[in-house]
Amino acid sequence: MQGTDVYDVVVVGGGPGGEVAAARTARAGLTTVLVEKEAVGGECSYRACVPSKALLRPGAVRDAARAVDGARQAVTGPLDPAAVLARRDRFTGRGDDTGQAGWLQGAGVTLVRGHGRLDGERRVTVTGADGGVRTLYARNAVVLAPGTRPALPPVPGIDQIGAWTSREATTADAVPDRLVVIGGGIVACESATAWSSLGASVTLLVRDRALLTDWEPCAGEEVTRGLSTLGVTVRFGVSATRVRRDPATGEAIVDTDDGSSLVCDEVLAAVGHRPRTDDLGLDTVGLPSGETLPVDDTCRVPLPHGDWLYAVGDVNGRAPLTHMAKYQARACAAAIAERAAGRRPAAGPHQPWSAAADRTAVPQAVFTRPEIARVGLTERAAREAGLPVRVVQYRTDEVAGAALHADGYRGLATLVVDEARQVVVGCTLTGPMATELIHTATLAVVGEVPLDRLWHAVPAFPTVSEVWLRLLEAYGL
């Protein structure tokens, strides 16, 4: 095609899903080009998962040391905010994607800088920073992986005061004296934990009557307790009605629906994300803009004509998490390679080209204090799905390994069992090490391991993992 660069696969978006999909199709022998306007690595690397965990880790380490007699006496001072922020910047490179771009090149992927959008069947136009336009054509597949952008709540003034979103909450260069967080989800809870640990006075405005309402109730309850211990003020059933800045002092003022006003230095809006599909050219292939893209288990987008379009990661709305974006990308790339070879991918949830686990076995790890983690279905979700479930709980702090891990260890393990099949379909953990312990539950859920078989997976003594033995005993094995 004259004036058009032709590749087997064109990937739009260089976040975790896009870069993995591109690397995998290139490894399969398909010529692949990746289009990215910002930094390769996406939100996760520079403005989400990586910097947020870098901000959270120092406080967690300090509190872990203070939870062990003999060590607590050696840890008496506050965190050093400058050192914490500098360590974060070492992980993110302050947005420098030289390393990740080099990794793509090493994987055999061509990188094109600019804004990519569809321009009809199998065509992508790329507008560079200089305004120049380049056209790419995909012989086999176009993979859309543009990710999402932080949403702002419909609060008057919120878009005029320079409010923080998750981006600013993970990249700020100074600790605000007073921070108001609007939201009660994961970003809100982790941000409140991190900035309060660094010395900010934090108030959380939660519209609902609990935190993390799509989790098991124990998770929200434990996080609420932990935030209160850190000095965070959590106000339930309260919404912001107006936000403004005092022109004289620069202070932000948050009016609420209970008639009060809060004065602070920064306001963080942590109310979710929206897919980056409003300027993606979806209308050129008969799809609506601004919404998530429906996909099948191979991450293929159904089209009126043709089967060449795929979408991975947050943009398809199935499981908006970095690790699940990478999982989908691996499945997507395998499906593209299979179809490029003229074969029809065989059906089945455990095929290499199926991302079916993102419906039933999505692990989540939240680095609040205490940590919380879950995989699979909650009790409510399982019952709504019509499963005959039984729920078993055991206090993790009653396990010998937990008592040795930390003085005053506090944690709870919740197991959701499908009584008909005698398999675990969900697990929620709270307490220290929860984020590391959850993978055992993920294996049990994905593998559909019968309980009587799990009984023979003996946890070592004395470890916190002994909670698995106690859960099975509580079940009656």
Side-chain angles (χ1 to χ4, degrees):
M1 294 183 183
Q2 190 172 6
T4 300
D5 297 321
V6 180
Y7 292 85
D8 293 325
V9 180
V10 177
V11 180
V12 179
E19 60 182 358
V20 169
R24 301 282 287 204
T25 54
R27 191 173 80 174
L30 301 174
T31 58
T32 303
V33 59
L34 183 145
V35 181
E36 176 55 59
K37 180 180 179 180
E38 298 181 351
V40 175
E43 291 290 291
C44 178
S45 296
Y46 311 106
R47 296 176 290 270
C49 314
V50 171
S52 68
K53 303 315 170 281
L55 290 173
L56 286 157
R57 183 60 181 159
V61 171
R62 177 195 60 185
D63 289 357
R66 290 178 174 177
V68 178
D69 198 17
R72 91 168 47 94
Q73 289 80 0
V75 184
T76 57
L79 296 179
D80 181 338
V84 173
L85 297 178
R87 181 175 185 267
R88 174 205 61 190
D89 290 346
R90 290 198 295 274
F91 279 100
T92 65
R94 297 187 68 84
D96 182 353
D97 70 348
T98 302
Q100 300 226 55
W103 176 84
L104 270 184
Q105 182 180 10
V109 177
T110 299
L111 174 62
V112 174
R113 301 279 187 176
H115 175 67
R117 64 192 317 274
L118 292 170
D119 185 30
E121 183 173 343
R122 301 174 190 269
R123 288 166 59 88
V124 173
T125 59
V126 183
T127 304
D130 61 357
V133 178
R134 178 177 178 180
T135 300
L136 308 173
Y137 181 82
R139 295 189 188 93
N140 298 105
V142 173
V143 181
L144 301 178
T148 57
R149 62 170 58 90
L152 289 176
V155 177
I158 195 76
D159 58 345
Q160 300 171 15
I161 65 160
W164 282 10
T165 65
S166 55
R167 284 187 157 203
E168 291 76 20
T170 56
T171 60
D173 289 327
V175 181
D177 290 334
R178 300 157 298 178
L179 175 66
V180 171
V181 181
I182 300 173
I186 293 173
V187 171
C189 293
E190 286 194 340
S191 297
T193 300
W195 290 107
S196 63
S197 296
L198 289 168
S201 174
V202 180
T203 299
L204 203 58
L205 300 181
V206 186
R207 179 183 58 187
D208 297 314
R209 295 292 175 179
L211 298 175
L212 305 163
T213 53
D214 57 343
W215 287 59
E216 297 285 5
C218 62
E221 292 165 2
E222 288 299 301
V223 171
T224 301
R225 180 191 297 271
L227 288 173
S228 297
T229 300
L230 287 171
V232 175
T233 300
V234 184
R235 299 178 62 181
F236 291 111
V238 178
S239 296
T241 57
R242 182 188 176 205
V243 181
R244 61 195 187 280
R245 280 201 186 271
D246 185 319
T249 65
E251 295 175 322
I253 303 167
V254 182
D255 298 330
T256 65
D257 58 3
D258 66 355
S260 62
S261 294
L262 300 171
V263 179
C264 60
D265 301 289
E266 301 293 348
V267 177
L268 165 59
V271 294
H273 289 71
R274 294 188 57 81
R276 292 176 178 262
T277 56
D278 50 348
D279 188 21
L280 202 55
L282 295 176
D283 57 309
T284 68
V285 294
L287 294 173
S289 299
E291 304 296 331
T292 55
L293 292 168
V295 296
D296 63 18
D297 284 347
T298 67
C299 296
R300 185 171 55 179
V301 180
L303 290 173
H305 306 286
D307 59 356
W308 52 273
L309 186 62
Y310 296 76
V312 300
D314 292 7
V315 73
N316 65 36
R318 285 171 61 124
L321 297 159
T322 295
H323 45 284
M324 300 311 293
K326 293 181 178 182
Y327 165 68
Q328 290 175 2
R330 294 192 295 269
C332 174
I336 291 170
E338 190 75 354
R339 290 178 176 126
R343 297 185 292 268
R344 176 180 296 179
H350 300 136
Q351 297 290 345
W353 39 74
S354 173
D358 66 12
R359 291 178 307 203
T360 58
V362 178
Q364 296 187 65
V366 181
F367 294 82
T368 46
R369 288 198 292 284
E371 294 180 353
I372 60 171
R374 78 173 192 186
V375 66
L377 303 175
T378 61
E379 176 185 3
R380 182 176 64 187
R383 295 195 186 282
E384 289 175 351
L387 297 180
V389 298
R390 177 180 166 194
V391 176
V392 178
Q393 288 190 324
Y394 193 86
R395 292 220 57 87
T396 314
D397 35 270
E398 294 183 8
V399 174
L404 290 165
H405 182 84
D407 302 338
Y409 186 112
R410 179 185 175 89
L412 182 67
T414 302
L415 211 59
V416 182
V417 177
D418 181 340
E419 290 280 77
R421 294 183 297 143
Q422 288 287 287
V423 297
V424 178
V425 294
C427 179
T428 298
L429 303 172
T430 74
M433 299 290 290
T435 56
E436 296 295 336
L437 292 169
I438 198 62
H439 192 59
T440 301
T442 303
L443 293 172
V445 173
V446 172
E448 299 179 325
V449 184
L451 293 184
D452 59 1
R453 182 69 58 85
L454 279 179
W455 178 251
H456 295 280
V458 182
F461 177 87
T463 64
V464 183
S465 292
E466 272 199 298
V467 70
W468 273 91
L469 171 62
R470 304 307 174 203
L471 282 167
L472 294 175
E473 287 179 335
Y475 183 80
L477 294 180

